[in-house]
Amino acid sequence: MATASAARHEVPSRTPRFSLHKKKSVRLTLWPLVAATFFMVSGGTYGIEDIVHGAGYGRAILFLVLTPVLWSLPTAFMIGELSSALPFEGGYYAWVRRAMGNFWGFQEAWLSLAASIFDMAIYPTLFVAYLTRLFPWFAENRRGVMVGLAVVIVCALLNIAGVKVVSTTSLWLFFALSSPFALVVLLSPLKYGALFHAVTAPTTSKVDLIGGLLICMWNYMGWDNASTIATEVERPQRTYPRAMLVAVCIVALTYILPVAAVWMTRLPAGAWETGSWADIAGLLGGPLLRIALVVGGMFSAFGMFNALVMSYSRLPLAMAQDGMLPSFFGKMNRRRAPWVAIVALAIGWACCLGLGFERLVTIDILIYGLSLALEFLALIVLRVREPNLARPFRVPGGMVGAVALGIAPVALLGFDLVRSESEHVWGMSSFAFGALVIGAGVLAYVIKQALKPAGWAQPEPSLRTP
C-alpha cells in the first residue's frame, strides 16, 4: 500500500504493509464515494447564505454557476487523471512527493493539514449556528463551543469505527438534508413576489462582494480530499473520474436551484446571513419546514466534518508509512482506521473552535490554495518526467491542456490575497498569519532532516491479512 513507489531515486519504494486483497465489502463503490465527496466539498446548500447577502441574487447565481466551471471542474479533471494513475494512500501528498521529491511532498501535506485546522473549525461553527436558530440558549456563554467540541468527539469516534461507517452515514445524511430543500424549490414559485415586505430578524453579516466570492470558492473547494482514501476505493482508476464529475454536477445544482427559487419570492438579499435558510423555510412552509431546515443544517455540518476527518487522517498515516513522520502516526485498528492520527488532528481542530466564520474561510482558502497549486504543478511535472505512466483517465489537450487547467483556479486565489490583508487574526493580518504558517512548514522539514535525515524507521511488513 505504498503511497509513492516511484522509479525516481528521490522517493524510495517500500514494501506494502497490508495485503491488497481486501474484501470487496470494505471498499467504497461509486455512489458511496460520490456521497463522501459531496460532504468533503459541500454538505448541501447550507453555508452559501452570505454569498447572496454580499453579492445579491443575480451575481450570487453568476458566482455559483461560474465557480464550478473555473474552480471545481479543473480540479476534478486534475484529480481524475492523478487518482487514476496513482491511486495511493495519501492521495495528493503522494502525487506531489512522486513528482517533486520529499521536500515538496512534505510541504503539500503540511499546507493541507494546516488548512484543515481552520477548515475543520468551520463545520462545528455552522452546526452551532443552526442549532441556536431552534434553541437560542446554546448561544449564551461558552455553550456553543462545548457543542462544537461534542461534534469533534463524536465524528472522531465514528471515524475510528472505520471508513465504511463514514461513507454509509454520508449517503443517508445526503438524502436527509436534501429533502427540505426540495420542498423550498417546490414552494417558492407559489410565493412569487410575496416576500418582498417580509419581516425577518436583523442580520449581523458584514460580507461584501469579494467576501461573497470567497465564500463561494470555499463552498466549491475540497475535491482533492477524496483522493487520500484511494486504497479503500473499489477500482479507483475507473471510479474516481466518474465520481468527481457526478459530484460536481450534484453540488452545483444543490446550490443554484434553491437560491434561484427563493429569488422568485423577492425576499430582500440583505435578509440573508449564515443560518438564514431556517427563517426562509419558515416563511415558505411554516414552522415544520423551518425545523426541518435547521435539523438539515446540523446534519450538513456534521456530515462534512465526519467525511473530512476520514480524508485528513490519511495524510499522517501515509507520511508515517513513508518515514516522514514518527511511525506511531501509522498505527491502525482492526478496521484500518488510523486512530492515532484521528485523535491528534481532532485536538488541533478543537483548538480553533472560537474563531469567526469569515475569518476562518479567508485563512483556509489562502493556505489551501497553495497546496492546490502544488497539485496542478505535480500534474505537469509528471507529464514531463513520466510520459509513459499509465493514465486510465487523461486531461484532454496534451501538455497545453494540462498547463491551462490550473490557470483559472490559481488566478482566483488573487481575490483571497486581497482580502487577507484586511482580515486579522491574533493581532496580525490573515496574510501575515498565513505566511507564518507556510514558513513553519519549511522549518518543520529542516528540523525533521536534522533529527532524522534518513526518515523514521519503518515498521516491519505485516505477515497477516487484516
Side-chain angles (χ1 to χ4, degrees):
M1 197 173 64
T3 59
S5 52
R8 298 173 55 226
H9 69 278
E10 295 94 330
V11 183
S13 62
R14 52 186 173 76
T15 306
R17 285 189 64 195
F18 297 93
S19 169
L20 291 177
H21 302 290
K22 295 192 282 288
K23 294 180 181 179
K24 184 176 180 179
S25 61
V26 302
R27 290 194 168 200
L28 301 186
T29 52
L30 175 64
W31 289 107
L33 181 59
V34 169
T37 303
F38 175 83
F39 277 102
M40 290 177 189
V41 173
S42 166
T45 315
Y46 304 95
I48 67 170
E49 298 95 321
D50 279 317
I51 302 173
V52 180
H53 182 100
Y57 285 101
R59 283 180 291 191
I61 291 177
L62 183 63
F63 287 169
L64 291 170
V65 170
L66 291 181
T67 302
V69 175
L70 300 176
W71 176 256
S72 301
L73 275 179
T75 305
F77 271 99
M78 177 266 290
I79 294 165
E81 175 169 323
L82 293 178
S83 290
S84 66
L86 304 170
F88 298 141
E89 191 90 79
Y92 46 82
Y93 150 75
W95 309 334
V96 174
R97 181 171 177 259
R98 176 153 173 162
M100 295 179 282
N102 284 338
F103 173 79
W104 288 110
F106 187 94
Q107 298 311 310
E108 172 70 10
W110 174 272
L111 290 170
S112 299
L113 290 173
S116 82
I117 297 297
F118 305 101
D119 182 57
M120 294 295 275
I122 293 172
Y123 309 111
T125 300
L126 288 175
F127 184 95
V128 173
Y130 276 95
L131 178 63
T132 54
R133 293 278 169 164
L134 280 183
F135 305 104
W137 180 81
F138 284 102
E140 299 172 7
N141 300 323
R142 304 290 289 175
R143 292 166 186 159
V145 175
M146 297 306 295
V147 172
L149 182 61
V151 171
V152 174
I153 293 172
V154 172
C155 289
L157 292 175
L158 281 174
N159 273 267
I160 290 174
V163 64
K164 195 68 176 179
V165 174
V166 177
S167 62
T168 303
T169 304
S170 297
L171 196 57
W172 284 108
L173 286 176
F174 169 75
F175 291 114
L177 67 89
S178 298
S179 300
F181 281 103
L183 288 175
V184 168
V185 172
L186 291 174
L187 292 173
S188 291
L190 302 179
K191 297 276 189 177
Y192 185 85
L195 301 184
F196 182 73
H197 296 292
V199 178
T200 58
T203 62
T204 58
S205 176
K206 298 180 181 178
V207 176
D208 57 9
L209 184 63
I210 293 180
L213 175 59
L214 293 180
I215 293 172
C216 188
M217 290 168 61
W218 173 74
N219 275 281
Y220 274 116
M221 79 181 195
W223 303 97
D224 50 350
N225 288 320
S227 70
T228 63
I229 56 172
T231 60
E232 296 159 273
V233 174
E234 183 71 21
R235 295 194 298 172
Q237 292 86 351
R238 173 181 173 84
T239 303
Y240 266 105
R242 295 168 65 199
M244 291 299 104
L245 294 177
V246 170
V248 167
C249 294
I250 292 176
V251 169
L253 288 175
T254 59
Y255 289 157
I256 296 167
L257 290 180
V259 172
V262 176
W263 192 9
M264 298 172 65
T265 70
R266 298 184 67 191
L267 178 71
W272 291 66
E273 66 175 348
T274 300
S276 289
W277 277 118
D279 296 333
I280 293 169
L283 293 171
L284 291 172
L288 289 180
L289 186 57
R290 181 179 186 274
I291 293 172
L293 260 291
V294 170
V295 174
M298 295 161 62
F299 282 166
S300 172
F302 184 91
M304 294 179 77
F305 191 94
N306 195 36
L308 285 167
V309 172
M310 176 175 64
S311 171
Y312 286 126
S313 63
R314 269 55 184 182
L315 283 178
L317 167 65
M319 295 176 75
Q321 291 173 349
D322 289 333
M324 304 279 275
L325 285 178
S327 60
F328 64 81
F329 281 105
K331 289 184 179 295
M332 291 190 282
N333 61 19
R334 62 182 180 178
R335 295 180 180 271
R336 292 199 67 254
W339 66 272
V340 174
I342 290 171
V343 171
L345 289 173
I347 293 171
W349 297 328
C351 291
C352 288
L353 289 177
L355 295 178
F357 176 61
E358 189 180 0
R359 184 180 301 154
L360 286 168
V361 168
T362 303
I363 299 171
D364 184 21
I365 294 177
L366 176 65
I367 301 174
Y368 168 82
L370 292 178
S371 70
L372 185 65
L374 284 177
E375 294 165 33
F376 279 108
L377 184 59
L379 174 71
I380 299 168
V381 172
L382 285 171
R383 283 283 189 97
V384 173
R385 292 183 171 174
E386 299 190 48
N388 297 322
L389 178 67
R391 294 172 170 87
F393 175 84
R394 181 185 289 265
V395 173
M399 181 58 73
V400 174
V403 173
L405 198 67
I407 293 176
V410 173
L412 283 173
L413 295 175
F415 290 101
D416 189 73
L417 292 176
V418 172
R419 177 47 50 89
S420 64
E421 288 289 352
S422 58
E423 285 287 340
H424 288 80
V425 58
W426 294 326
M428 66 184 80
S429 70
S430 295
F431 180 82
F433 182 80
L436 286 177
V437 172
I438 295 163
V442 177
L443 179 61
Y445 185 81
V446 171
I447 294 173
K448 176 261 174 190
Q449 287 296 96
L451 295 176
K452 294 286 184 179
W456 274 269
Q458 293 298 302
E460 291 298 321
S462 173
L463 299 178
R464 296 179 296 174
T465 301

